[in-house]
Amino acid sequence: MEHTLSLEFLRVVEQAAIACSTSIGHGRRKHSDKLAVEAMRKAMESVRMDATIVIGEGERDEAPMLYIGEKVGMGPDLDGHHPQVDIAVDPLEGTNLCAMGAPNAIAVLAATEKGGLLHAPDLYMEKLVVGPSAKGKVSLDAPVQDTLKIIAQSLNRQVSEITVSVLDRPRHEQLIADIRSAGARIQLIGDGDLSAAISAAVSGTGIHAVMGTGGAPEGVLSAAALKCLNGEIQGRLKVDTNTASREKAEAMGVDFGRIYFTDDLCPGKEIVFAACGVTHGNLLKGVMHFGHGVRTSSLILTYGSRQVRFIDTVHMKEGEFTTVRF
């Protein structure tokens, strides 16, 4: 699957990113998301796979396409050459970022063999993300100060040299206070903790950890990327005060007391993670339009083949006198 579908998934996220890039800064988050969803769904139609959306735009009655359980790709073939695939998508991770023209909006897809992704309900998840050096040394239940000391020691740094990415939400007021009290630095982000999670696993981004509560679907997508990058995510599913949501989740087998680790969220052995920048960010440049085409910056991770590929693509417009811009 990794060998045959990696470049196909690259094309899928590129098309989603290009489509919604035309709406950057327009202040219409739902419109931006709609453009990305439609483009991603259309691009998937020609992919030679028998795939199922396990994390998408919501339940079937909540989304017109890329809903949970939707079959995508060309479907099964008689010779069995189309692999069965489970897919998690976020056609526009950071809809608000795109709408406001802010950094780190990306189009994302993760794919594994059948059963390789946790079917996480649309709940909250308390998360801790670290890079390879701190993997296996930290705990979601440990005090913030202790966790930051371990991360700093694993990187041969002082706590004051560690930067933690946290979603800027009222619910994180105490967490932010604890991080500051420990002496670490904070990068407050308005949206898009998936991009931050990838940054925490890669050296040179200036982000060393992610803490706080965000979306559970994004947690599963993060796990796919982190597994390829030797990073670690720990997460505990949470629900708001909606009793019906909790009962529905428990009926699906959700254990709210359990800490889910990277392999729990993404147990797959064949993994492809694809992301394409929409707006400029820590890892990827955003979509750049020029007179004769579009330029995209993408990331492809594969677990089995242990490859990390950064791909810069120029999409040329048709025409005999089209000029490529470097």
Side-chain angles (χ1 to χ4, degrees), residues 58-284:
E59 301 293 342
R60 182 167 188 165
D61 57 349
E62 298 171 350
M65 59 184 71
L66 296 182
Y67 53 81
I68 297 170
E70 183 179 11
K71 302 293 291 185
V72 293
M74 295 180 67
D77 67 332
L78 295 177
D79 298 326
H81 293 153
H82 295 180
Q84 289 191 324
V85 180
D86 279 354
I87 294 182
V89 299
D90 195 342
L92 179 55
E93 210 259 337
T95 53
N96 288 325
L97 301 178
C98 179
M100 302 305 294
N104 291 315
I106 55 177
V108 183
L109 177 155
T112 71
E113 75 276 15
K114 209 74 175 170
L117 293 166
L118 179 72
H119 297 200
D122 192 10
L123 301 173
Y124 286 115
M125 179 182 283
E126 182 185 1
K127 305 171 190 176
L128 171 61
V129 176
V130 295
S133 61
K135 181 172 65 173
K137 302 175 183 178
V138 295
S139 170
L140 185 64
D141 285 334
V144 170
Q145 185 174 7
D146 293 351
T147 298
L148 291 173
K149 285 181 180 178
I150 293 170
I151 295 171
Q153 289 170 0
S154 71
L155 294 168
N156 295 317
R157 294 171 179 251
Q158 300 296 316
V159 173
S160 60
E161 298 172 320
I162 298 300
T163 300
V164 183
S165 190
V166 181
L167 279 170
D168 189 6
R169 300 289 188 272
R171 63 177 177 267
H172 291 148
E173 182 177 347
Q174 185 58 54
L175 172 62
I176 292 169
D178 290 343
I179 295 171
R180 287 173 174 164
S181 177
R185 297 173 294 184
I186 297 177
Q187 181 195 64
L188 291 175
I189 54 176
D191 219 347
D193 62 347
L194 170 54
S195 180
I198 299 171
S199 297
V202 179
S203 178
T205 62
I207 303 298
H208 307 105
V210 179
M211 294 182 176
T213 300
E218 289 82 359
V220 175
L221 280 160
S222 296
L226 290 163
K227 189 166 179 176
C228 295
L229 294 168
N230 294 324
E232 180 177 58
I233 181 171
Q234 297 179 23
R236 180 185 287 113
L237 291 166
K238 302 178 71 174
V239 71
D240 56 20
T241 55
N242 189 329
T243 304
S245 296
R246 186 179 186 92
E247 290 177 350
K248 180 179 178 182
E250 288 175 339
M252 293 173 63
V254 171
D255 183 353
F256 287 99
R258 176 182 177 183
I259 294 179
Y260 291 82
F261 290 84
T262 311
D263 279 333
D264 298 320
L265 298 171
C266 182
K269 302 302 180 185
E270 292 186 83
I271 304 168
V272 179
F273 179 91
C276 183
V278 177
T279 59
H280 292 305
N282 295 339
L283 278 175
L284 299 169

Side-chain angles (χ1 to χ4, degrees), residues 44-51 72-77 82:
M44 283 186 183
E45 291 177 359
S46 57
V47 179
R48 297 178 183 274
M49 63 180 179
D50 178 15
V72 293
M74 295 180 67
D77 67 332
H82 295 180

